[in-house]
Amino acid sequence: SWNNAIANYQKVINLSKDPAAKAEAYYYTGMARWDQKKMDSAMDAFAKGSVQKDAPHAEYCRQYLETLYKSTHNDSLAGIDEFVARVAGR
């Protein structure tokens, strides 16, 4: 069940100090939300995962974020950096 998986990934996000673990948890949360057709939640998760410094899944988060962002912004990435800054609290 995606909801159980998301709850477990949220525990990793809340408890871990490791950027790699957090990015991976955000990545899988984003994928789960995407599969559930919850695009806003998926983009939020991918945005948060994309800013985890030196984390292998950060790049994947950014790629999927760009895909979803473009699909909801007329095939444009205009404003994506502002979106990431707002969502990720940067």
Side-chain angles (χ1 to χ4, degrees):
S1 149
W2 278 128
N3 289 331
N4 289 336
I6 291 167
N8 287 328
Y9 288 127
Q10 190 59 50
K11 289 176 186 174
V12 172
I13 291 164
N14 291 341
L15 297 174
S16 181
K17 301 278 189 231
D18 178 21
K22 283 187 169 205
E24 185 174 355
Y26 281 125
Y27 170 79
Y28 285 111
T29 298
M31 295 302 284
R33 293 298 189 197
W34 192 350
D35 191 59
Q36 293 176 325
K37 309 286 190 258
K38 296 180 179 179
M39 300 309 171
D40 290 338
S41 294
M43 287 195 302
D44 287 356
F46 289 138
K48 290 174 183 175
S50 73
V51 298
Q52 300 301 313
K53 190 165 175 64
D54 299 324
H57 280 81
E59 182 179 331
Y60 301 122
C61 286
R62 180 63 185 220
Q63 290 171 353
Y64 282 111
L65 171 61
E66 288 180 3
T67 299
L68 286 176
Y69 191 89
K70 285 168 61 174
S71 75
T72 60
H73 289 82
N74 213 21
D75 207 28
S76 171
L77 292 177
I80 194 169
D81 291 328
E82 291 84 0
F83 172 79
V84 170
R86 181 176 47 81
V87 171
R90 297 198 171 212

